[in-house]
Amino acid sequence: MLWPFPLAETLPAWLILLLSGADLVIRVLAVGIIPGNRRPTTAMAWLLGIFFVPAVGLILFLLFGNFRLSRRRIEQQQLVNERVRGSVALSHVASEYSGPEWVTSAAELNRRLGSIPMVDGNHVELIPGYPDSIRAMTEAVRKAKRFVNAEFYIMSSDHVTDDLLTALEEAADRGVRVRVLFDHIGTLRIKGYNRLLKRLKASRIQWKRMLPLLPIHGQWRRPDLRNHRKIMVIDGEVAFTGSQNLIEPSYNNPKHRKAGREWIELMACLRGPIVPTLNVVFATDWLSETDESLEDQLQLPPQPSAGPVTAQVVPSGPGFITENNLRLFNTLIYSAQHRISVCSPYFVPDDSLLYAITTAAQRGVDVELFVSEKGDQFLVHHAQQSYYEALLRAGVRIYLYKAPFVLHAKHFTIDDEVAVLGSSNMDMRSFSLNLEVSVMLLGADIVNSMRAVEDTYRDISHELRLEDWMRRPLAARYVDNVARLTATVQ
């Protein structure tokens, strides 16, 4: 029942009857409502919680059960999608990509789900060095003439980001329109949050918290929804995206510094028609937080670019009714003929992704997975480890990136045709709860560039063998299996 049983002795009969009736009604309604638009495993987890620990389970469901954004934000996303589809600049884009049909099919899936077309003529430079990407973004901001749009899950004012923040402040002072978005909860939990706010408030930068959780201001939503995107766009001509947050590589955590733990990232510098399409994602989030339209920034370059890379931006998150990133990942993995290389810091797949990867290995595709030897999040890392046996038995080769470093880069390659990178992990949080952005990059050249990065991972990792994994203690297996249960609750 929803009320403590010992209280029954002190309550009048009519109130006991009323509470019992309410308890029954809630259980019946839960059975018919909770499974709607949820995976069966997720629905079952919620129902078990409500049935066995009714009061706690119901409260948690009311707080965390709705993984969609507000009706207003969803309507704004749909409006932006319609405008992008109807845009003269974007609707007449016709890629001349002549590769395999399965790649063209994946691009059409992306366009239908996310509204953004595939575009030719791009230059892409991968930047695996943590300070190198900060330096590249800083130099680009210093050359800005019209606008800078920056959107990051986590931002910090520290010794690594100081030059970049100074460049943003100086750009705003010289008349460049500088707009900054950061996730409220993601940044709030980082040491130095108030120092960052003080610095932003003292500048001419226009800034907003994304998905703010401020009940006293009427801003409330499911507390664990996050905007996990990492985007910077300068003048509509150059952009950066990938896995890296704007913070020093130990995340301002003394324990991490003492252990020598730093995050390993991969960013990309993009030039060409892909830049304004990436800016569509920023403009959507800016509209959601400010009601200001940036539609005038979204025009494609007047002259076609001569870059060698065909590319497509893939936005995803609870603002869409589909799981755009998961559908793309599964489509590409099932299409692979020869080789799949995956790097994901948090690999906690749903059944569809697990079947796609294990099936690929079982049909003879060379599949390798790069993950951290020791994760930075206890439950997620142990949930991830619970999948290792199934992966290894299917023939997936798992490489553990040497501790204490955290391999936080998020990318994968398919055959010699496709590379994908961005902010999305291969876990159910990134598929359902986080606003993410990925970029699909086509062509052997960019795949070879990413493979070169993957080669450096392999050189400093050690391969996990099934026989070694099966010798781990029973207590460790127990913890992994318990942690796996937390992955189903969304």
Side-chain angles (χ1 to χ4, degrees), residues 175-486:
V176 176
R177 297 295 296 272
V178 179
R179 298 175 175 88
V180 168
L181 293 170
F182 59 85
D183 185 82
H184 181 202
I185 302 301
T187 300
L188 174 65
R189 59 188 178 85
I190 297 297
K191 184 179 180 181
Y193 175 71
N194 290 330
R195 181 170 64 250
L196 173 68
L197 291 190
K198 183 178 180 180
R199 186 167 185 173
L200 290 173
K201 289 176 181 178
S203 72
R204 295 183 179 179
I205 296 171
Q206 296 175 266
W207 62 275
K208 287 288 183 180
R209 304 174 181 89
M210 294 186 291
L211 300 177
L213 196 60
L214 300 168
I216 60 174
H217 297 294
Q219 296 173 323
W220 172 260
R221 60 185 52 80
R222 176 171 169 165
D224 60 342
L225 292 180
R226 301 281 186 272
N227 192 318
H228 198 236
R229 294 165 177 161
K230 291 93 174 170
I231 299 170
M232 179 175 283
V233 179
I234 298 94
D235 291 339
E237 298 174 358
V238 59
F240 297 85
T241 193
S243 64
Q244 186 172 338
N245 291 298
L246 293 189
I247 188 171
E248 63 92 19
S250 291
Y251 276 59
N252 292 338
N253 189 316
K255 292 183 179 179
H256 293 332
R257 291 198 195 100
K258 184 176 181 180
R261 184 175 297 118
E262 294 187 352
W263 271 236
I264 307 300
E265 309 287 0
L266 182 65
M267 294 290 282
C269 177
L270 310 166
R271 299 178 188 273
I274 192 67
V275 174
T277 67
L278 189 60
N279 203 28
V280 168
V281 182
F282 176 90
T284 303
D285 291 334
W286 185 260
L287 176 68
S288 295
E289 302 301 346
T290 68
D291 288 327
E292 178 189 6
S293 173
L294 303 181
E295 202 165 349
D296 60 318
Q297 294 184 0
L298 306 182
Q299 300 301 310
L300 290 173
Q303 298 297 326
S305 177
V309 179
T310 296
Q312 187 176 28
V313 171
V314 185
S316 58
F320 296 88
I321 61 173
T322 53
E323 296 170 325
N324 301 358
N325 47 358
L326 176 59
R327 291 175 187 268
L328 170 64
F329 296 174
N330 282 341
T331 297
L332 293 176
I333 291 168
Y334 274 118
S335 300
Q337 301 298 310
H338 307 291
R339 180 177 175 184
I340 301 169
S341 297
V342 176
C343 178
S344 179
Y346 312 115
F347 185 83
V348 187
D350 74 337
D351 286 345
S352 70
L353 182 60
L354 181 64
Y355 294 161
I357 287 180
T358 54
T359 300
Q362 289 163 342
R363 59 187 171 85
V365 177
D366 292 330
V367 183
E368 58 183 357
L369 171 65
F370 296 95
V371 291
S372 299
E373 181 179 45
K374 186 175 181 180
D376 63 302
Q377 298 183 28
F378 179 86
L379 281 177
V380 176
H381 185 67
H382 281 280
Q384 173 177 291
Q385 290 186 155
S386 73
Y387 292 91
Y388 287 175
E389 181 180 346
L391 294 168
L392 291 167
R393 290 191 182 280
V396 177
R397 302 183 72 174
I398 300 176
Y399 292 93
L400 304 179
Y401 196 91
K402 187 176 180 180
F405 297 99
V406 175
L407 184 57
H408 193 249
K410 313 160 195 295
H411 52 85
F412 65 96
T413 51
I414 305 290
D415 295 343
D416 295 325
E417 305 294 341
V418 180
V420 177
L421 90 161
S423 66
S424 181
N425 300 305
M426 286 194 172
D427 68 353
M428 286 179 273
R429 164 168 284 282
S430 280
F431 298 146
S432 299
L433 301 180
N434 290 346
L435 283 77
E436 306 281 8
V437 64
S438 303
V439 182
M440 185 172 74
L441 307 167
L442 309 182
D445 290 342
I446 188 62
V447 171
N448 288 336
S449 295
M450 193 168 286
R451 289 265 164 82
V453 174
E454 294 163 355
D455 290 343
T456 66
Y457 299 161
R458 194 181 300 102
D459 290 342
I460 56 178
S461 301
H462 71 269
E463 185 173 358
L464 180 64
R465 305 287 184 180
L466 178 60
E467 54 270 25
D468 296 330
W469 186 242
M470 296 308 294
R471 285 197 292 265
R472 76 193 193 281
L474 289 176
R477 299 186 193 189
Y478 179 85
V479 173
D480 293 347
N481 292 335
V482 171
R484 183 169 177 156
L485 292 174
T486 66

Side-chain angles (χ1 to χ4, degrees), residues 1-3 8 11-27:
M1 291 187 176
L2 294 175
W3 41 277
L11 296 176
W14 65 268
L15 185 54
I16 294 175
L17 184 62
L18 181 63
L19 290 173
S20 299
D23 178 57
L24 178 61
V25 169
I26 289 173
R27 291 172 188 260

